[in-house]
Amino acid sequence: IDMNMIFTSVVGRSGQFTLANIFNTYGIDCYAEAEPPQLIITTSLPLKSKFINKMWGAAFTYLKLTRIQRRWLVSNEDMGRGKALEWYEKQDYTQLDRLAGRNIKRVERLQEKKKYKTYICVSKYFLRTQCEAIYRINPDISLIKLTRDPLMNAKSSENRKKFFLQDNPSIHSPQNCLKMDGNQLNAFQLYLWIWCEMELRHYRFVENHPVKKIYEINTEELNNTSKLIEMFSCFGISHREIKKVETLNTNVGSGRPETVITEKDINDYEVFVKMVPKDLLNKILYLNNYDPYIHIHR
């Protein structure tokens, strides 16, 4: 494959759209996508039609258009969720390799059109379903490990009020690194579990698969110019002068509650951590000497 391909180790709700926008705004000869493939028809197109709004309502129309697109054009499986989560759980290599091959072909078509040298896929589904299959096709890949504070991440995810299994594996999947009894966890702790699970899957992947380059960056560093310059340099990507970084896809921006950590959240975290086996907890470097009370003004 005549291009550099960079994928992302990330749990989600960690600044993926902001990261992709940084590459597309300041990078030269590169192209980034967040959670590809995105819907072709969005609310900015036919939903502004007064006729459609009057006859069916914008919300209903958007739901129908989304279902049609996800069924026939850009499916949940193409993203790496839906049945792809089951394929990974059952290690259905035939389906996973077909999915990875289709996605790489799509990227190659994009390269022919946009003429970039480096492609960056910023998606939480890489570690959930596609990592091994993509590596079998193209082992010459690099990684960005994008990590957000676990409490902030879990709270932000909980505030989205999405169906957990739409984007995430079952807590009882045999492919999990961190096997726990999901009945013991509340919604907040379930998102703490997937945060830990994706951290452990990252380490498992890089232990078992030699990766050309790995760059680690935390979500709060996405507005750190020096850190971003270092990231571009790591992958050999030329860049324009980095100025203001726009934060995208926030909960507040989409009308959801602000991400604020409470004493109850901290208590839930401390109870959860005690249930994690010590050997696995020690593997998660971010949690070494981590103090959850940094979120409470004392």
Side-chain angles (χ1 to χ4, degrees):
I1 298 175
D2 189 24
M3 74 176 120
N4 296 318
M5 297 190 75
I6 304 171
F7 293 87
T8 317
S9 293
V10 62
V11 65
R13 300 305 310 145
S14 302
Q16 298 101 286
F17 285 84
T18 300
L19 177 62
N21 189 53
I22 288 169
F23 278 108
N24 290 332
T25 301
Y26 299 111
I28 298 173
D29 288 334
C30 70
Y31 181 67
E33 292 186 293
E35 309 293 359
Q38 289 289 307
L39 295 173
I40 297 171
I41 303 173
T42 68
T43 53
S44 63
L45 295 176
L47 297 185
K48 288 186 177 180
S49 164
K50 293 182 180 179
F51 175 76
I52 289 177
N53 287 336
K54 182 177 179 181
M55 294 299 294
W56 294 290
F60 176 75
T61 305
Y62 178 65
L63 180 61
K64 293 290 287 185
L65 286 171
T66 298
R67 286 178 176 174
I68 291 170
Q69 291 179 85
R70 288 297 181 211
R71 177 68 178 87
W72 300 106
L73 300 177
V74 282
S75 70
N76 283 316
E77 286 69 37
D78 288 332
M79 289 185 71
R81 63 184 185 188
K83 291 181 181 178
L85 291 163
E86 299 176 17
W87 297 338
Y88 188 83
E89 181 175 330
K90 297 175 181 177
Q91 294 294 273
D92 187 337
Y93 300 118
T94 300
Q95 294 285 9
L96 291 171
D97 288 350
R98 184 181 294 121
L99 170 65
R102 188 164 64 244
N103 284 340
I104 288 178
K105 287 292 184 184
R106 187 188 67 84
V107 172
E108 289 175 337
R109 290 194 298 271
L110 275 174
Q111 185 195 30
E112 289 178 5
K113 179 180 178 181
K114 296 181 178 293
K115 308 300 182 184
Y116 50 74
K117 294 180 181 178
T118 301
Y119 171 77
I120 306 101
C121 177
V122 188
S123 173
K124 59 179 173 284
Y125 300 109
F126 177 74
L127 287 180
R128 283 166 168 79
T129 56
Q130 302 186 47
C131 49
E132 282 91 358
I134 286 174
Y135 192 88
R136 281 193 290 271
I137 296 173
N138 179 21
D140 191 32
I141 64 172
S142 298
L143 285 179
I144 296 172
K145 183 178 184 293
L146 175 61
T147 310
R148 187 180 185 183
D149 176 279
L151 271 73
M152 294 292 287
N153 183 266
K155 190 71 171 187
S156 177
S157 299
E158 183 186 24
N159 285 344
R160 284 265 157 163
K161 299 190 182 302
K162 294 176 68 175
F163 176 51
F164 184 82
L165 293 178
Q166 175 177 304
D167 294 333
N168 300 296
S170 165
I171 196 170
H172 305 294
S173 170
Q175 306 308 325
N176 291 342
C177 300
L178 178 55
K179 297 176 173 62
M180 302 182 74
D181 181 1
N183 295 323
Q184 299 182 40
L185 307 180
N186 59 30
F188 180 76
Q189 291 170 325
L190 198 57
Y191 283 110
L192 289 175
W193 168 76
I194 194 61
W195 186 95
C196 290
E197 175 64 23
M198 291 302 111
E199 286 286 303
L200 292 168
R201 285 196 188 192
H202 167 79
Y203 294 123
R204 180 175 67 184
F205 181 76
V206 298
E207 285 172 5
N208 295 329
H209 305 82
V211 176
K212 184 167 59 175
K213 294 179 181 178
I214 302 174
Y215 189 78
E216 299 188 5
I217 186 168
N218 295 335
T219 301
E220 60 269 22
E221 294 174 318
L222 290 177
N223 60 3
N224 183 321
T225 302
S226 298
K227 189 74 175 175
L228 297 180
I229 291 173
E230 184 180 79
M231 178 178 67
F232 279 112
S233 176
C234 174
F235 298 114
I237 299 173
S238 300
H239 62 87
R240 305 172 184 86
E241 182 184 358
I242 299 174
K243 298 179 181 179
K244 181 180 179 181
V245 172
E246 184 180 2
T247 302
L248 303 178
N249 196 34
T250 65
N251 277 355
V252 172
S254 57
R256 296 178 175 88
E258 184 180 358
T259 304
V260 177
I261 303 304
T262 66
E263 290 277 3
K264 180 183 182 303
D265 297 328
I266 293 175
N267 180 66
D268 286 343
Y269 168 81
E270 292 179 330
V271 170
F272 170 81
V273 165
K274 290 177 182 178
M275 293 188 281
V276 179
K278 286 291 184 183
D279 60 324
L280 294 180
L281 192 63
N282 291 336
K283 283 186 176 182
I284 304 175
L285 302 182
Y286 193 100
L287 296 183
N288 289 356
N289 302 314
Y290 176 71
D291 179 12
Y293 284 95
I294 58 174
H295 298 289
I296 302 295
H297 299 290
R298 293 181 294 181

